[in-house]
Amino acid sequence: QVITLPAVRQTDGEIEGAIIVFSDITEKKLDVIRMSDFIAMVSHELKTPLTSVQGYVQIVMARARSAKDAFAAGALDKANIQLKKMNALINGFLNVAQLDAGKIHLDKSPFEINTLIAEIVEETMLADPARNIESSPCFPTTLLADKEKIAQVIGNLLGNAIKYSAHGSRVNIGCQVDPLAIQVVVTDCGRGISPKDREKLFDRYYRVDNVTGESISGFGLGLYLSAEIIKRHQGEIWVESEVGKGSAFYFKLPRL
Ligand code: ADP
């Protein structure tokens, strides 16, 4: 990396000298690669035991239900929600590793967008029953896209809208179609994002400073992954926001 500073001039404007700084960033880059490899390896190792625990929880839950043991079924429901969150986190890390290795691929199939949104809204509200998510469906439209990955994007945006706004405040998801594209928007009345942070929001591992200080959990990967997924579908993703008032995250996908 080479940093060139402005020329040093005498009072009459004549150039007296210049400063060029060479800094070797090989180690820094290697650190990032080592960290990514490590995260990928740990995530991979966690995936198998997690899947197995999820399986056992499902079996015991079925038993608790048929034995009409409401307490056990309720507790297992809660455990299941947390396991799903862990699973989503691990999948996020694995997706980043796949992206790094250029191995992420889209598995496209036709699906109806309102149905997918309704499923994710229901799942998100199950995880946080106190939160009401309002939904404004669009004209029923079938998309040809990677359903699981688009679900991941919608889940990330809804999860963030809830995470970064006050308990009980309104979260909305809306959808619009035109002949060429479909546009989804997730709106919240939360803390909002400053213009300076908006520039870096979709960067990998980027988190706004105050959320790190307030220890709101997260790794700064959700928006990075969402942006990569939308870009790979030849779509666009962007945010409009006002500090203290709220944010609106949009994505647009081509219909054809
Ligand atoms: P994470 O939530 O895990 O930190 P994301 O990549 O999903 O990672 O988001 C990056 C950062 O963007 C968050 O840490 C937060 O500071 C900010 N952010 C994302 N969504 C919102 C939102 N709806 N309102 C305010 N800030 C947000």
Side-chain angles (χ1 to χ4, degrees):
Q1 188 184 23
V2 182
I3 302 167
T4 316
L5 300 172
V8 181
R9 291 176 189 273
Q10 288 175 346
T11 38
D12 61 2
E14 199 176 319
I15 293 180
E16 197 170 30
I19 299 171
I20 299 174
V21 182
F22 294 92
S23 92
D24 185 350
I25 57 166
T26 319
E27 265 310 307
K28 272 192 206 157
K29 286 213 160 163
L30 276 177
D31 278 349
V32 172
I33 294 170
R34 282 187 206 120
M35 186 169 87
S36 297
D37 282 353
F38 177 73
I39 292 174
M41 196 181 74
V42 172
S43 309
H44 198 79
E45 291 300 316
L46 285 174
K47 188 93 190 152
T48 317
L50 182 65
T51 310
S52 148
V53 174
Q54 275 182 307
Y56 284 118
V57 166
Q58 297 292 343
I59 295 170
V60 184
M61 195 164 8
R63 281 212 174 184
R65 291 219 168 101
S66 63
K68 304 222 182 316
D69 184 341
F71 176 77
L76 289 166
D77 255 341
K78 292 206 168 88
N80 201 32
I81 288 168
Q82 298 306 323
L83 288 171
K84 276 192 179 168
K85 281 191 187 168
M86 267 169 86
N87 202 27
L89 206 60
I90 288 175
N91 282 341
F93 287 137
L94 288 173
N95 283 345
V96 171
Q98 283 172 342
L99 267 174
D100 285 345
K103 277 193 209 145
I104 206 160
H105 78 282
L106 299 181
D107 191 3
K108 291 189 180 181
S109 63
F111 62 90
E112 202 282 307
I113 187 73
N114 292 312
T115 316
L116 182 68
I117 291 178
E119 277 170 21
I120 301 164
V121 165
E122 196 188 319
E123 219 167 85
T124 314
M125 284 189 355
L126 262 183
D128 190 352
R131 215 37 118 79
N132 188 31
I133 302 172
E134 289 166 23
S135 173
S136 343
C138 52
F139 187 79
T141 306
T142 298
L143 279 181
L144 182 63
D146 188 320
K147 184 177 172 189
E148 215 174 288
K149 293 201 170 61
I150 299 300
Q152 203 180 331
V153 174
I154 297 171
N156 278 339
L157 299 183
L158 278 177
N160 280 348
I162 289 175
K163 200 157 74 165
Y164 299 110
S165 63
H167 217 70
S169 70
R170 195 171 44 87
V171 168
N172 191 290
I173 179 160
C175 171
Q176 273 182 6
V177 251
D178 68 34
L180 295 177
I182 184 154
Q183 184 173 300
V184 175
V185 54
V186 175
T187 322
D188 66 65
C189 310
R191 61 184 61 213
I193 305 151
S194 72
K196 178 182 122 304
D197 288 314
R198 287 206 296 268
E199 277 171 29
K200 300 192 197 131
L201 214 58
F202 297 94
D203 290 357
R204 189 195 320 194
Y205 301 127
Y206 188 78
R207 306 197 76 210
V208 175
D209 270 352
N210 59 353
V211 307
T212 323
E214 285 171 45
S215 66
I216 298 179
S217 69
F219 288 92
L221 285 178
L223 290 180
Y224 165 72
L225 279 172
S226 301
E228 288 297 324
I229 291 169
I230 297 297
K231 272 190 238 153
R232 272 155 213 259
H233 281 88
Q234 270 73 49
E236 286 170 65
I237 185 165
W238 70 99
V239 59
E240 288 170 7
S241 181
E242 204 176 318
V243 174
K245 292 216 161 151
S247 310
F249 281 84
Y250 295 83
F251 70 83
K252 200 170 190 171
L253 290 173
R255 284 183 63 187
L256 306 169

